[in-house]
Amino acid sequence: MVLTTNLNYNKIMTNRINYDVIICGGGTSGCACAYSCAKFGLKTLLIEKNNFLGGLMTGGLVVPVMKSSSNNLNCDYYNKLVKTAKKFNAQITYKDNNDGWFNPEILKIVIEDILTENEIKKNLDILLETQIFSVNKNNSLIKDIVLNSNLLSLPIVSTYYVDATGSGEFSILAGCSILNDKSEHQQNSLRFILDNVNFSEFSDFLINLDDDENITNIYRNEINSDVNFTTASTWDENTFWKLDKFLKSGVENGLLLPNDRSYFQIFSVAGTNSKVAFNCPRISNYANNPYMASNELIEAKKAIWRIYNFVKKTFPGFENSQISNIATQTGIREQNRIKTKYHYTKNDLISGKKFENNVLEANYGIDVHTNDKKSSIIQVSQSYQLPIETLMSYDYDNLFIIGKPIGADFYAHSALRVQKSCMSMGEGVAKYIAKIKK
Ligand SMILES: Cc1cc2nc3c(=O)[nH]c(=O)nc-3n(C[C@H](O)[C@H](O)[C@H](O)COP(=O)(O)OP(=O)(O)OC[C@H]3O[C@@H](n4cnc5c(N)ncnc54)[C@H](O)[C@@H]3O)c2cc1C
């Protein structure tokens, strides 16, 4: 258990603690919310079960931030992240002007650096390695919470609560209604990183292989000679992937299993010139069944070992590579979505419907990772908005839901789940609470 300095330890042992806002989950959306709440002068507690912050952005090794919109509504935290990560040599701006290419491991340090700046720290307490044991409620209000720690066994009280757990765990503990429209599922992934890749050799190979900039592209920075790149291949039958012939022969040669071809995507890791992040292998049928889920995770490690040996033997530049990271947080794209005051739909997204209490502007399209061999659906959208009411619990008047568990339908969710939008949700809720608390 780690306590940051604001908490008076003796006081915790004897009294209740009162906050303006308690945020459960110190990941992508939770950190943005905590930063903004503290900046607006709200006394805030951020609770995170890992021993680091960042969620999927760090523990999940999910890079880069998908380019979403140039409109900067509720992007103060994101901009701060970009600026601070740059100082730590953990950020680059890609050639399409996407400034969200980060080094996920260093981001753990960057995020803590931001949240412990004096202006923020004075209003923000952080509890790492802490989970909520129970949520106590009174009619339509969350009253207090109890943490899973002997030392902090007294209830902690707040005026507002924010579920930023990614899974909706807080809302489920509180007994909230869950959306029950599960006819389709996103496939999940266990991401990993290889180090000691020769970027120059591999990018030369890519340039000669594939000139389709939508799939493969290389960015050579002429000022500092850094090289960055991304490429992909899936087993979808209605798209031609230049890399697929290599993956197919990997299966024929027994290096890969057929399912390893389902989705293969890589990104260079910002500021390293040697690390490559893999957005695979996929985890199929990862369900809310702990036996199946555990088995899938074991199989995923075997797949990582196969993919590693395959790229080492197949692609120029990977000969001396080594596995440096396997995600400590499973890459779950969509899990529980919680019922909120406004149910946001695919039509709202596609039509670009305008809302009075808008929290974000984005244009990232519908992005569903399916397991059949049709193309994954990626529909490019016009700019769209999201109302604060989609982040307000249907069941409790003082509970907000941000990030993945929001009250949107499956297809709208598949667009809204990208990191920049999750951060805007966190900031939008902070702004809203600061306004109503005045
Ligand atoms: C495989 C994969 C690839 C993706 N690729 C991209 C991409 O390339 N670009 C992009 O922009 N987006 C991408 N996304 C989407 C994006 O990363 C996520 O949707 C987004 O990061 C989710 O943010 P969040 O705040 O909801 O959850 P998270 O970032 O997961 O944060 C949730 C936090 O809550 C904590 N927590 C959970 N339960 C508890 C509890 N009970 N008590 C305390 N803490 C708790 C977790 O430890 C975690 O830190 C991808 C997602 C996946 C899964």
Side-chain angles (χ1 to χ4, degrees):
M1 159 81 55
V2 181
L3 298 177
T4 53
T5 47
N6 274 10
L7 288 169
N8 177 326
Y9 196 72
N10 289 328
K11 196 173 162 202
I12 295 166
M13 301 293 281
T14 53
N15 295 324
R16 287 185 171 207
I17 306 277
N18 279 283
Y19 287 95
D20 295 321
V21 189
I22 290 180
I23 301 156
C24 184
T28 315
S29 58
C31 289
C33 191
Y35 171 80
S36 310
C37 285
K39 213 169 150 198
F40 294 133
L42 299 165
K43 191 163 163 30
T44 307
L45 174 64
L46 178 65
I47 300 169
E48 168 54 47
K49 71 177 176 186
N50 287 322
N51 70 356
F52 56 85
L53 298 170
L56 280 169
M57 295 185 82
T58 54
L61 306 176
V62 175
V63 286
V65 172
M66 281 291 119
K67 201 167 174 225
S68 183
S69 164
S70 51
N71 188 313
N72 267 350
L73 180 63
N74 290 326
C75 289
D76 282 0
Y77 171 77
Y78 173 74
N79 292 335
K80 178 86 185 172
L81 200 60
V82 169
K83 209 168 142 198
T84 315
K86 194 174 209 64
K87 282 199 274 177
F88 284 78
N89 191 29
Q91 178 274 350
I92 61 139
T93 302
Y94 204 68
K95 64 178 175 182
D96 60 356
N97 284 328
N98 180 2
D99 51 10
W101 281 57
F102 294 119
N103 177 328
E105 208 58 42
I106 308 295
L107 219 50
K108 290 177 181 169
I109 300 169
V110 172
I111 294 170
E112 288 180 8
D113 191 72
I114 293 171
L115 295 187
T116 52
E117 277 179 4
N118 284 340
E119 185 204 2
I120 303 301
K121 194 169 80 173
K122 67 181 186 208
N123 294 317
L124 176 65
D125 293 324
I126 301 171
L127 287 171
L128 296 178
E129 293 188 332
T130 303
Q131 264 177 279
I132 291 172
F133 178 72
S134 63
V135 178
N136 300 316
K137 53 253 178 191
N138 189 0
N139 298 321
S140 65
L141 288 179
I142 306 279
K143 205 165 58 125
D144 55 49
I145 56 167
V146 178
L147 303 177
N148 68 337
S149 153
N150 293 336
L151 296 174
L152 292 172
S153 57
L154 287 171
I156 302 184
V157 181
S158 177
T159 313
Y160 296 99
Y161 297 84
V162 180
D163 181 347
T165 57
S167 59
E169 200 175 312
F170 183 100
S171 307
I172 291 168
L173 265 179
C176 291
S177 323
I178 302 174
L179 292 180
N180 192 14
D181 58 354
K182 287 245 172 222
S183 54
E184 295 194 59
H185 297 276
Q186 292 272 9
Q187 294 291 302
N188 303 310
S189 309
L190 188 67
R191 296 184 66 143
F192 68 104
I193 292 181
L194 296 187
D195 198 359
N196 213 20
V197 178
N198 186 322
F199 276 21
S200 151
E201 274 184 37
F202 183 61
S203 56
D204 285 348
F205 162 79
L206 279 184
I207 286 175
N208 293 326
L209 178 76
D210 192 2
D211 57 5
D212 183 349
E213 282 263 314
N214 291 318
I215 294 164
T216 301
N217 69 74
I218 297 127
Y219 173 37
R220 292 182 195 273
N221 184 324
E222 279 167 21
I223 298 166
N224 60 13
S225 359
D226 275 0
V227 180
N228 280 281
F229 51 80
T230 177
T231 187
S233 175
T234 81
W235 67 5
D236 294 347
E237 280 157 359
N238 48 0
T239 310
F240 178 66
W241 307 92
K242 294 269 174 58
L243 273 184
D244 195 41
K245 64 178 179 204
F246 296 95
L247 287 140
K248 268 188 181 144
S249 71
V251 175
E252 280 154 20
N253 299 336
L255 290 170
L256 298 174
L257 290 180
N259 206 46
D260 298 334
R261 267 183 65 227
S262 62
Y263 196 88
F264 178 93
Q265 187 178 34
I266 57 177
F267 299 92
S268 56
V269 177
T272 67
N273 272 319
S274 66
K275 289 189 187 237
V276 175
F278 286 68
N279 188 13
C280 50
R282 265 189 177 167
I283 305 176
S284 304
N285 305 319
Y286 186 95
N288 281 339
N289 173 331
Y291 291 99
M292 273 173 70
S294 303
N295 190 47
E296 290 292 341
L297 286 171
I298 291 166
E299 289 303 318
K301 252 69 115 251
K302 291 179 184 164
I304 288 174
W305 187 248
R306 285 192 299 274
I307 294 168
Y308 162 58
N309 282 293
F310 161 74
V311 296
K312 218 170 144 67
K313 289 186 179 130
T314 309
F315 297 133
F318 279 84
E319 296 86 347
N320 299 315
S321 62
Q322 287 152 357
I323 295 175
S324 64
N325 312 60
I326 295 178
T328 51
Q329 184 176 330
T330 307
I332 301 174
R333 292 191 167 82
E334 183 261 350
Q335 201 169 2
N336 301 302
R337 280 168 288 120
I338 309 299
K339 189 167 177 186
T340 50
K341 292 210 160 52
Y342 181 85
H343 181 62
Y344 189 87
T345 66
K346 179 182 171 185
N347 280 347
D348 294 333
L349 185 113
I350 290 174
S351 66
K353 186 170 173 179
K354 303 278 181 258
F355 295 93
E356 198 183 328
N357 294 315
N358 174 32
V359 293
L360 63 82
E361 293 279 344
N363 60 12
Y364 188 76
I366 289 172
D367 181 1
V368 178
H369 288 241
T370 60
N371 200 27
D372 55 25
K373 296 184 182 179
K374 295 182 292 186
S375 228
S376 292
I377 307 162
I378 302 186
Q379 286 175 16
V380 178
S381 302
Q382 59 173 309
S383 187
Y384 50 84
Q385 302 189 339
L386 182 73
I388 186 81
E389 290 80 5
T390 297
L391 311 180
M392 291 173 165
S393 159
Y394 176 81
D395 300 278
Y396 295 102
D397 293 336
N398 61 345
L399 173 62
F400 294 84
I401 291 123
I402 57 175
K404 280 190 301 173
I406 57 166
D409 73 19
F410 177 78
Y411 287 101
H413 177 274
S414 75
L416 291 163
R417 68 191 171 88
V418 288
Q419 293 168 356
K420 206 168 175 186
S421 295
C422 289
M423 288 184 246
S424 293
M425 292 177 207
E427 202 164 313
V429 161
K431 212 175 256 179
Y432 184 81
I433 294 175
K435 194 170 96 185
I436 56 177
K437 218 171 168 285
K438 264 187 191 160

